[in-house]
Amino acid sequence: MNKYIPVIGLEVHVELKTKSKMFCGCSADYFGAEPNTHTCPVCLGLPGALPVPNEVAIDWCRKIGLALNCELLKSSKFDRKNYFYPDLAKGYQISQYDKPFCLKGSITLGSGKVIGITRVHMEEDTAKLAHQSGIQNSNVKSQNYSLVDFNRSGVPLVEIVTEPDFDNAQDVVDYLKKLQQIVRYLGVSNADMEKGDMRLEPNISLRRVGETGLPKYKVEVKNINSFSFVAKAIEFEIKRQTEILDKGQVPAQETRGWNETKNATVSQRSKEDAQDYRYFPEPDIPEISILADQIDQMRSELSELPHEKVKKFEGWAVKKADARILAETKEMAEFFESTVEHARKHEVLPQDVANYIVNHKVDITTVLPTHIIEEIKGKKVGMISDESELEKIAKEVISENPGFVEAYKKGKLTVIQALVGAVMKKTLGKADASKAKTILEKLLNPEVS
Amino acid sequence: MDLTKLNLKQAKEGLKKKDFSSVDLTKAFLQRIKEVEPKIAAFVTVAEKEALEMAKRADGLIANGQDLPLLGVPISIKDNFSTQGIKTTASSKVLDSYIPPYDATVVSKLKDAGIVLLGKTNMDAWAHGSSTETSDYGSTKNPWNIGFLPGGSSGGAAASVAGDEVIFGIGSETAGSIRQPASWCGVVGLKPTYGRVSRYGVIAMGSSLDCPGPITKSVEDAAIILEILAGKDHFDATTSPRQTEKYSIDLNKSIRGLKIGISDDYFEGVDTQIVASVKNALKVLEGMGAEIVHIKLFEPKYAIAVYTIIQRAEVSSNLARYDGIRFGNNREAFGEEAKRRIMFGTYALSAGYYDQFYNKASKVRTVIIEDFKKAFQKVDVIIAPTSPSTALPLGSSKNHPMFGEMADVLVEPSSIAGLPGINVPCGFSKEGLPIGMQIIGSQFSESKILNVAYQYEQATDWKEQKPKL
């Protein structure tokens, strides 16, 4: 039996997909852009430049807070977090210290366990350093040098901090998946791990069974960019710390990093080197307040969240496992909803629709809800499935919709749905949509067939 | 006619009537600068070529019948305002080679209004001081006596105006940096309400205090310039959305019945000649129907403590970006005063000291704001000496780290409260050095303090006197 219980908390940084950066008008969509092309005096930290907060980003931060059952503070402020690093243009990061936008929330995991959310706050991203070796030019004497790309400098980041409520890596991964799903549902972040949209920092310590209260030390693992690495880092730390504790020692309070090649965490910074960030209120940005009415309004406008969709689908007598699959993404959930709407008119049950979508692994970007209903109902009375007749109608549709045809030929293949829709309209819904689509594709791609 | 003696209003009339062109005017000032700069050293950079180009452009526009509020008017701008394509150093060697790629909002507003920029004026490095002696480019001298200091930090701006090198100058004040040098140089200096004029592009000193404003040869000029500078700026979140006013419209309003507040604490420890001059000025205002009301304000010395902590804390953070990686010289180029402020501010913000220093100072700041609010329920304006002394001899600031705070003791409380204030010349010492008084108003009462200043100015002839350079 285990002698220790892991005590794990998590800090997650989520990059928002707002059009502009957090404190200036530069485009925040920097991925793949030429270095230092998305910059201005503000995000370069030039002398005299001032930050002006992005209201959309603040709204989105608050939405994340509401989705995580947080309390929104009536009055919040930004603070300066002072530290030196070459990727930090101003010598301080604008963040939030004691009055963040959102406090005290919670999230329920698949297992039913409730994890407390300490806070959700807003800050700005730093620039990106590219470490190079070799001599850049005659001015650079050193063998190694670093380049700074300020395109990412000032991109809005939301930091979500949990209570140390986790005791195993699986729950942490479940939490991360849920969080990723929520921010995608809200449409505030792509949460694309590959692009660094989500950065994960677990803190891990061990408590002796039977003890209460927090352990005297805490090990933080910084900037992990994949869910599986987080799980590995946690497993590694549990093992490492257990060994130390078994020897009667206390693990050092420190910051560690995840090393992919070694499959291990490595020490980066000890407690003695802990930074004093000298937080103080950002004098360039006045306090930001929100009225109770505005909070209510925002809450009422919040789109349905994954767990709410699941609940709704279950209410339609859909099996829980299917409901979860169907609520995986907002797009899938909405597709299922509109298919069910059609199904009702044709006396098809939601569970039948669920079965069809789940079993056929339906590609919702190319299949119409009506088509699914037809498939489920099988051959419908009066259905037009005669190919020559459908081809005649398809030709009419093609000649009547030159715009769509042109778009299709330019590569916008999804407009095929609009053409199928036109066929359906002409036949008052009696055409075999699947066949109509095949015929349309054949007509539009003569060389392929 | 000596064109360099003209104030803004006179210059504008001459240009409009085509008595002279902007190029004539600009050349006259460039000539004057050549003559007097060796004595007073008001400029860090004289942009002769750019100035003549701007003047030619202005003349073209005038010929086309264009009428802009400052069209063709040659001015100076303090060297902490970012000017696109023109070196901007804040008088620190750290920025010795820094050429901004953008204009401060104040600069672009002035350019839109048609100015000719003659150059950038000297200041205490990073605006840290009240003498202009801490400039890395040497001290500016007082045009009234070149053995004396011009005050600061906008000492170059005030000297350029007093020395007739420009029609007017643009300065900035954190606490006293416009009013005190204006007082020592015998010119008008207006510090608007915090947030009335954009700080965007002004190299930050104390961000919660910094405020750009004009230094001029007359009160009316200051009012006209404020009309151009004031207003909400989408690049500065701390600017007020409050409607701006036609500040020059009420200048002639009678001040009969106006209640002027006087606080004894503001006359204590002040040079007796200054006390006498300000009291005489008050008599002039009484003669015009104003009423003197004795009030009790928070002792100015508390403001020094609050100001010192808040400003140093902000400075320590604001100067962090000059890390030697991107701008000109590295940190070794920081002068003594900047290093002192960085250390002081860093200490005050450090873990364990924040509550004791910064947090406490913020609370006392609120008390000072409330104190002024109460006072302005009883009176319309407050009048006090601007500085406890007239200009001090060159070298006075050396070895006195708190020199600035002591020189600015009478302007710091109103700066901390974000209030507007204006310095108006009100006499000369027997040594021939100018004396100034300040008129302080409640937030956004610029029209009122300009009105009182104008009424006093019109009733006296101090501005007719010019330094002999």
Side-chain angles (χ1 to χ4, degrees):
Chain A
M1 210 187 107
N2 285 332
K3 283 175 283 185
Y4 310 108
I5 298 172
V7 180
I8 306 165
L10 214 64
E11 284 177 22
V12 179
H13 285 91
V14 176
E15 206 167 81
L16 299 184
K17 59 171 183 184
T18 48
K19 281 203 183 73
S20 55
K21 290 188 181 180
M22 190 57 219
F23 298 113
C24 62
C26 290
S27 164
D29 185 14
Y30 64 89
F31 195 80
E34 184 77 10
N36 297 308
T37 52
H38 292 209
T39 58
C40 74
V42 177
C43 55
L44 286 172
L46 292 189
L50 297 173
V52 177
N54 180 336
E55 285 172 21
V56 173
I58 293 172
D59 263 11
W60 288 6
C61 176
R62 285 172 167 154
K63 273 188 183 167
I64 294 174
L66 287 177
L68 296 173
N69 305 305
C70 287
E71 180 187 304
L72 299 199
L73 267 70
K74 300 270 163 57
S75 175
S76 299
K77 65 178 169 69
F78 283 100
D79 297 275
R80 289 189 185 176
K81 180 180 180 180
N82 296 284
Y83 68 96
F84 170 78
Y85 208 67
D87 66 8
L88 194 61
K90 301 182 293 292
Y92 55 84
Q93 179 190 34
I94 304 177
S95 181
Q96 295 192 287
Y97 186 55
D98 55 345
K99 289 168 87 180
F101 291 121
C102 326
L103 279 176
K104 289 187 209 138
S106 67
I107 187 167
T108 308
L109 303 181
S111 64
K113 180 164 186 181
V114 178
I115 300 296
I117 303 290
T118 314
R119 55 189 277 145
V120 177
H121 77 245
M122 185 91 247
E123 57 187 38
E124 56 176 339
D125 212 340
T126 58
K128 221 174 198 165
L129 292 179
H131 302 294
Q132 317 280 321
S133 52
I135 293 164
Q136 185 195 22
N137 59 43
S138 56
N139 293 331
V140 180
K141 301 277 188 287
S142 151
Q143 285 284 319
N144 301 314
Y145 61 96
S146 299
L147 298 173
V148 192
D149 175 8
F150 286 94
N151 283 351
R152 198 182 66 180
S153 169
V155 168
L157 276 186
V158 168
E159 183 173 332
I160 302 141
V161 183
T162 76
E163 292 292 305
D165 289 346
F166 298 94
D167 58 15
N168 66 77
Q170 289 82 340
D171 279 353
V172 170
V173 172
D174 185 28
Y175 162 76
L176 290 170
K177 284 184 178 160
K178 279 207 146 43
L179 186 60
Q180 185 183 42
Q181 197 186 23
I182 287 170
V183 296
R184 284 178 177 168
Y185 252 76
L186 295 173
V188 301
S189 173
N190 293 326
D192 186 339
M193 302 305 295
E194 310 264 285
K195 292 184 179 170
D197 292 343
M198 269 178 97
R199 282 161 251 163
L200 324 167
E201 297 175 5
N203 54 71
I204 308 134
S205 50
L206 299 184
R207 170 164 55 202
R208 214 169 267 279
V209 172
E211 271 177 14
T212 51
L214 293 175
K216 288 190 185 71
Y217 71 97
K218 191 166 82 175
V219 172
E220 221 179 338
V221 187
K222 283 274 186 198
N223 273 325
I224 306 180
N225 60 3
S226 102
F227 295 172
S228 69
F229 290 160
V230 166
K232 283 182 186 173
I234 291 171
E235 301 293 0
F236 181 88
E237 275 303 309
I238 292 173
K239 196 162 158 271
R240 187 183 71 86
Q241 293 177 23
T242 300
E243 283 165 13
I244 296 172
L245 288 165
D246 279 347
K247 281 187 240 161
Q249 297 163 348
V250 179
Q253 169 117 358
E254 61 181 346
T255 301
R256 299 176 73 87
W258 175 249
N259 186 311
E260 284 175 45
T261 41
K262 287 186 189 158
N263 241 334
T265 65
V266 289
S267 181
Q268 287 182 334
R269 216 165 51 205
S270 74
K271 188 186 177 185
E272 288 71 42
D273 304 327
Q275 299 253 21
D276 177 359
Y277 292 119
R278 307 190 307 281
Y279 279 102
F280 76 103
E282 167 56 279
D284 291 330
I285 305 173
E287 291 215 350
I288 295 166
S289 32
I290 185 166
L291 302 170
D293 289 0
Q294 292 171 300
I295 297 174
D296 292 343
Q297 173 84 8
M298 191 177 263
R299 192 176 275 124
S300 71
E301 284 168 7
L302 214 59
S303 57
E304 268 179 310
L305 294 166
H307 70 274
E308 291 165 325
K309 294 277 191 205
V310 171
K311 214 168 174 187
K312 182 161 88 179
F313 299 164
E314 284 184 296
W316 296 347
V318 173
K319 282 183 280 181
K320 188 162 195 147
D322 289 339
R324 280 190 181 161
I325 294 170
L326 293 165
E328 188 69 37
T329 67
K330 194 181 183 188
E331 293 71 23
M332 175 59 94
E334 285 171 355
F335 179 83
F336 177 63
E337 284 165 352
S338 67
T339 311
V340 167
E341 203 177 302
H342 284 288
R344 292 222 160 94
K345 291 180 212 151
H346 299 280
E347 287 159 7
V348 173
L349 293 172
Q351 182 61 55
D352 295 334
V353 175
N355 285 342
Y356 185 90
I357 295 176
V358 174
N359 296 337
H360 287 75
K361 296 202 170 81
V362 169
D363 177 1
I364 60 166
T365 59
T366 57
V367 176
L368 282 176
T370 47
H371 167 70
I372 290 172
I373 306 304
E374 284 153 18
E375 291 281 319
I376 292 169
K377 288 201 77 173
K379 289 217 187 293
K380 202 170 70 179
V381 184
M383 180 185 267
I384 304 166
S385 51
D386 178 70
E387 295 204 0
S388 62
E389 196 180 347
L390 282 175
E391 188 166 321
K392 199 180 114 225
I393 299 163
K395 280 180 175 162
E396 281 172 29
V397 165
I398 286 174
S399 67
E400 285 160 12
N401 293 284
F404 284 138
V405 173
E406 202 190 323
Y408 182 85
K409 288 188 171 157
K410 280 187 179 155
K412 195 156 186 273
L413 301 181
T414 51
V415 300
I416 197 82
Q417 289 308 334
L419 295 171
V420 172
V423 171
M424 297 308 286
K425 202 173 167 195
K426 260 187 189 296
T427 59
L428 303 170
K430 286 180 180 166
D432 179 328
S434 167
K435 276 190 181 161
K437 188 172 168 243
T438 315
I439 291 167
L440 280 165
E441 279 170 341
K442 196 179 76 192
L443 291 171
L444 291 168
N445 297 295
E447 67 275 16
V448 174
S449 58
Chain B
M1 178 172 42
D2 181 354
L3 298 180
T4 65
K5 296 281 182 287
L6 302 176
N7 67 24
L8 171 59
K9 208 183 170 209
Q10 294 157 341
K12 275 219 57 175
E13 274 165 16
L15 286 164
K16 206 170 180 181
K17 286 194 290 182
K18 301 202 169 66
D19 292 343
F20 45 81
S21 69
S22 176
V23 170
D24 294 336
L25 198 57
T26 303
K27 281 183 173 162
F29 279 113
L30 287 169
Q31 181 56 36
R32 172 78 178 169
I33 287 170
K34 278 198 183 93
E35 285 162 22
V36 304
E37 263 309 277
K39 293 178 199 160
I40 62 172
F43 285 85
V44 176
T45 303
V46 176
E48 181 168 349
K49 199 176 117 245
E50 290 89 342
L52 285 169
E53 277 166 16
M54 288 173 107
K56 265 181 218 145
R57 209 175 315 133
D59 282 334
L61 292 173
I62 293 168
N64 284 334
Q66 273 262 29
D67 186 21
L68 296 171
L70 302 176
L71 190 54
V73 175
I75 75 159
S76 70
I77 295 179
K78 190 178 179 180
D79 205 30
N80 57 348
F81 286 79
S82 300
T83 43
Q84 187 173 1
I86 296 177
K87 196 170 79 158
T88 299
T89 68
S91 285
S92 167
K93 283 276 156 90
V94 171
L95 292 180
D96 196 34
S97 55
Y98 173 63
I99 297 172
Y102 76 110
D103 276 329
T105 296
V106 161
V107 174
S108 51
K109 281 187 168 190
L110 290 165
K111 282 183 176 174
D112 289 347
I115 57 141
V116 169
L117 177 58
L118 290 170
K120 306 291 292 289
T121 50
N122 198 16
M123 54 189 281
D124 286 287
W126 305 108
H128 297 169
S130 307
S131 65
T132 314
E133 269 190 315
T134 67
S135 166
D136 287 347
Y137 298 92
S139 181
T140 296
K141 284 104 183 168
N142 194 313
W144 292 90
N145 184 332
I146 59 170
F148 285 73
L149 294 168
S153 65
S154 309
S160 75
V161 176
D164 285 326
E165 294 180 298
V166 293
I167 300 275
F168 69 86
I170 294 294
S172 69
E173 170 160 334
T174 307
S177 279
I178 287 175
R179 283 174 281 175
Q180 183 258 16
S183 147
W184 284 13
C185 290
V187 290
V188 174
L190 171 66
K191 182 241 171 231
T193 306
Y194 180 79
R196 180 74 296 178
V197 177
S198 169
R199 294 181 293 119
Y200 185 71
V202 183
I203 295 178
M205 204 266 258
S207 308
S208 68
L209 298 144
D210 294 346
C211 197
I215 296 179
T216 60
K217 297 179 187 180
S218 78
V219 174
E220 186 175 14
D221 287 2
I224 295 168
I225 297 157
L226 182 63
E227 284 169 10
I228 294 157
L229 302 185
K232 176 82 191 158
D233 178 13
H234 294 293
F235 290 101
D236 178 356
T238 60
T239 48
S240 169
R242 192 187 164 106
Q243 191 67 39
T244 61
E245 294 162 41
K246 277 295 272 179
Y247 298 102
S248 57
I249 224 163
D250 281 342
L251 295 176
N252 270 312
K253 232 170 81 179
S254 158
I255 57 164
R256 186 158 299 283
L258 180 97
K259 288 197 175 96
I260 297 173
I262 300 293
S263 174
D264 287 343
D265 287 325
Y266 281 67
F267 289 83
E268 253 166 48
V270 173
D271 182 312
T272 51
Q273 295 192 73
I274 295 174
V275 172
S277 288
V278 175
K279 294 236 156 122
N280 280 335
L282 289 169
K283 280 195 194 109
V284 172
L285 291 165
E286 268 185 303
M288 298 169 86
E291 184 193 331
I292 306 296
V293 181
H294 285 269
I295 54 170
K296 176 79 186 146
L297 283 172
F298 229 61
E299 273 182 59
K301 69 179 181 193
Y302 294 114
I304 296 186
V306 172
Y307 172 75
T308 305
I309 289 165
I310 288 176
Q311 182 253 85
R312 298 317 194 250
E314 291 175 359
V315 162
S316 71
S317 173
N318 285 335
L319 293 184
R321 70 187 63 187
Y322 306 105
D323 51 19
I325 295 173
R326 289 167 304 152
F327 308 108
N329 294 314
N330 67 25
R331 289 169 171 167
E332 282 146 41
F334 275 119
E336 290 291 305
E337 184 58 23
K339 285 182 192 163
R340 247 195 309 268
R341 291 192 188 200
I342 291 167
M343 285 192 285
F344 187 122
T346 303
Y347 182 81
L349 289 175
S350 295
Y353 295 101
Y354 180 84
D355 281 333
Q356 194 178 337
F357 294 115
Y358 190 90
N359 212 12
K360 198 171 194 178
S362 299
K363 284 178 187 158
V364 180
R365 184 181 200 170
T366 311
V367 172
I368 293 171
I369 292 169
E370 290 306 315
D371 186 46
F372 273 112
K373 268 192 193 153
K374 258 186 258 152
F376 284 115
Q377 283 166 1
K378 290 186 221 137
V379 298
D380 297 302
V381 298
I382 294 168
I383 287 183
T386 305
S387 169
S389 71
T390 52
L392 294 171
L394 296 179
S396 300
S397 76
K398 302 272 159 74
N399 305 318
H400 290 98
M402 292 296 280
F403 174 84
E405 277 59 45
M406 301 322 288
D408 291 334
V409 59
L410 304 176
V411 280
E412 282 178 4
S414 55
S415 288
I416 285 169
L419 304 178
I422 187 168
N423 173 76
V424 214
C426 67
F428 289 88
S429 68
K430 58 181 187 299
E431 297 82 12
L433 291 166
I435 293 170
M437 70 170 174
Q438 58 172 331
I439 305 164
I440 300 164
S442 58
Q443 286 209 333
F444 301 104
S445 69
E446 282 83 358
S447 285
K448 193 175 281 171
I449 60 171
L450 282 160
N451 170 222
V452 179
Y454 183 78
Q455 290 300 310
Y456 173 75
E457 182 196 51
Q458 295 305 302
T460 54
D461 57 2
W462 305 113
K463 69 173 177 178
E464 306 309 324
Q465 298 194 41
K466 290 278 184 184
K468 293 174 193 71
L469 266 166

Short mmCIF file of all heavy atoms in Angstrom, two decimals, chain B residues 98-116:
data_model
loop_
_atom_site.label_atom_id
_atom_site.label_comp_id
_atom_site.label_asym_id
_atom_site.label_seq_id
_atom_site.Cartn_x
_atom_site.Cartn_y
_atom_site.Cartn_z
N TYR B 98 19.33 56.94 -29.56
CA TYR B 98 17.97 56.44 -29.82
C TYR B 98 17.16 57.43 -30.66
O TYR B 98 16.92 58.57 -30.26
CB TYR B 98 17.26 56.15 -28.50
CG TYR B 98 15.80 55.81 -28.68
CD1 TYR B 98 15.41 54.67 -29.38
CD2 TYR B 98 14.80 56.62 -28.15
CE1 TYR B 98 14.08 54.36 -29.57
CE2 TYR B 98 13.46 56.32 -28.32
CZ TYR B 98 13.11 55.19 -29.04
OH TYR B 98 11.78 54.88 -29.23
N ILE B 99 16.70 56.97 -31.82
CA ILE B 99 15.84 57.77 -32.68
C ILE B 99 14.49 57.08 -32.75
O ILE B 99 14.37 55.99 -33.31
CB ILE B 99 16.45 57.93 -34.09
CG1 ILE B 99 17.78 58.70 -33.97
CG2 ILE B 99 15.49 58.67 -35.02
CD1 ILE B 99 18.58 58.76 -35.25
N PRO B 100 13.46 57.67 -32.14
CA PRO B 100 12.16 56.99 -32.09
C PRO B 100 11.54 56.81 -33.48
O PRO B 100 11.67 57.70 -34.32
CB PRO B 100 11.28 57.93 -31.25
CG PRO B 100 12.22 58.88 -30.59
CD PRO B 100 13.43 58.97 -31.47
N PRO B 101 10.87 55.67 -33.70
CA PRO B 101 10.17 55.47 -34.97
C PRO B 101 8.75 56.04 -34.93
O PRO B 101 7.98 55.81 -35.85
CB PRO B 101 10.15 53.95 -35.10
CG PRO B 101 10.13 53.45 -33.69
CD PRO B 101 10.86 54.48 -32.85
N TYR B 102 8.39 56.72 -33.84
CA TYR B 102 7.02 57.23 -33.75
C TYR B 102 6.99 58.54 -32.95
O TYR B 102 7.93 58.84 -32.21
CB TYR B 102 6.10 56.19 -33.11
CG TYR B 102 6.23 56.05 -31.60
CD1 TYR B 102 5.20 56.49 -30.75
CD2 TYR B 102 7.37 55.50 -31.02
CE1 TYR B 102 5.31 56.36 -29.37
CE2 TYR B 102 7.47 55.37 -29.64
CZ TYR B 102 6.45 55.81 -28.83
OH TYR B 102 6.55 55.69 -27.47
N ASP B 103 5.89 59.29 -33.14
CA ASP B 103 5.69 60.54 -32.42
C ASP B 103 4.81 60.33 -31.19
O ASP B 103 3.83 59.59 -31.26
CB ASP B 103 4.97 61.56 -33.32
CG ASP B 103 5.91 62.30 -34.25
OD1 ASP B 103 7.08 62.53 -33.85
OD2 ASP B 103 5.48 62.68 -35.35
N ALA B 104 5.15 61.02 -30.11
CA ALA B 104 4.26 61.06 -28.96
C ALA B 104 2.95 61.71 -29.42
O ALA B 104 2.94 62.49 -30.38
CB ALA B 104 4.88 61.89 -27.84
N THR B 105 1.84 61.39 -28.75
CA THR B 105 0.55 61.98 -29.13
C THR B 105 0.62 63.50 -29.09
O THR B 105 0.12 64.18 -30.00
CB THR B 105 -0.56 61.46 -28.18
OG1 THR B 105 -0.67 60.05 -28.37
CG2 THR B 105 -1.90 62.12 -28.48
N VAL B 106 1.26 64.06 -28.05
CA VAL B 106 1.39 65.51 -27.95
C VAL B 106 2.14 66.05 -29.19
O VAL B 106 1.74 67.07 -29.77
CB VAL B 106 2.14 65.89 -26.64
CG1 VAL B 106 2.70 67.30 -26.72
CG2 VAL B 106 1.20 65.75 -25.45
N VAL B 107 3.17 65.35 -29.60
CA VAL B 107 3.95 65.81 -30.75
C VAL B 107 3.11 65.74 -32.02
O VAL B 107 3.09 66.68 -32.82
CB VAL B 107 5.25 64.99 -30.90
CG1 VAL B 107 5.99 65.36 -32.17
CG2 VAL B 107 6.15 65.18 -29.68
N SER B 108 2.36 64.66 -32.20
CA SER B 108 1.57 64.60 -33.44
C SER B 108 0.45 65.63 -33.42
O SER B 108 0.11 66.19 -34.46
CB SER B 108 1.07 63.18 -33.74
OG SER B 108 0.44 62.63 -32.65
N LYS B 109 -0.09 65.93 -32.23
CA LYS B 109 -1.13 66.98 -32.18
C LYS B 109 -0.53 68.34 -32.54
O LYS B 109 -1.15 69.13 -33.25
CB LYS B 109 -1.73 67.05 -30.77
CG LYS B 109 -2.76 65.96 -30.50
CD LYS B 109 -3.45 66.18 -29.16
CE LYS B 109 -4.67 65.26 -29.05
NZ LYS B 109 -5.50 65.59 -27.88
N LEU B 110 0.67 68.60 -32.04
CA LEU B 110 1.33 69.88 -32.35
C LEU B 110 1.68 69.96 -33.83
O LEU B 110 1.51 71.01 -34.46
CB LEU B 110 2.60 70.03 -31.49
CG LEU B 110 2.38 70.26 -29.99
CD1 LEU B 110 3.68 70.04 -29.22
CD2 LEU B 110 1.82 71.66 -29.72
N LYS B 111 2.13 68.84 -34.39
CA LYS B 111 2.46 68.83 -35.82
C LYS B 111 1.19 69.06 -36.65
O LYS B 111 1.21 69.81 -37.62
CB LYS B 111 3.12 67.51 -36.21
CG LYS B 111 4.59 67.42 -35.82
CD LYS B 111 5.20 66.11 -36.31
CE LYS B 111 6.70 66.03 -36.01
NZ LYS B 111 7.24 64.70 -36.35
N ASP B 112 0.10 68.41 -36.25
CA ASP B 112 -1.17 68.61 -36.96
C ASP B 112 -1.60 70.07 -36.88
O ASP B 112 -2.30 70.56 -37.75
CB ASP B 112 -2.27 67.71 -36.38
CG ASP B 112 -2.05 66.25 -36.72
OD1 ASP B 112 -1.19 65.97 -37.60
OD2 ASP B 112 -2.71 65.39 -36.10
N ALA B 113 -1.23 70.72 -35.77
CA ALA B 113 -1.61 72.13 -35.60
C ALA B 113 -0.66 73.06 -36.34
O ALA B 113 -0.85 74.28 -36.35
CB ALA B 113 -1.66 72.49 -34.11
N GLY B 114 0.40 72.52 -36.94
CA GLY B 114 1.23 73.32 -37.83
C GLY B 114 2.57 73.81 -37.31
O GLY B 114 3.24 74.61 -37.97
N ILE B 115 3.05 73.32 -36.16
CA ILE B 115 4.28 73.85 -35.58
C ILE B 115 5.53 73.63 -36.44
O ILE B 115 5.56 72.77 -37.32
CB ILE B 115 4.61 73.19 -34.20
CG1 ILE B 115 4.70 71.66 -34.34
CG2 ILE B 115 3.65 73.64 -33.13
CD1 ILE B 115 5.78 71.02 -33.53
N VAL B 116 6.53 74.44 -36.11
CA VAL B 116 7.89 74.22 -36.61
C VAL B 116 8.70 73.79 -35.40
O VAL B 116 8.76 74.51 -34.40
CB VAL B 116 8.47 75.53 -37.19
CG1 VAL B 116 9.96 75.38 -37.47
CG2 VAL B 116 7.71 75.95 -38.44
#
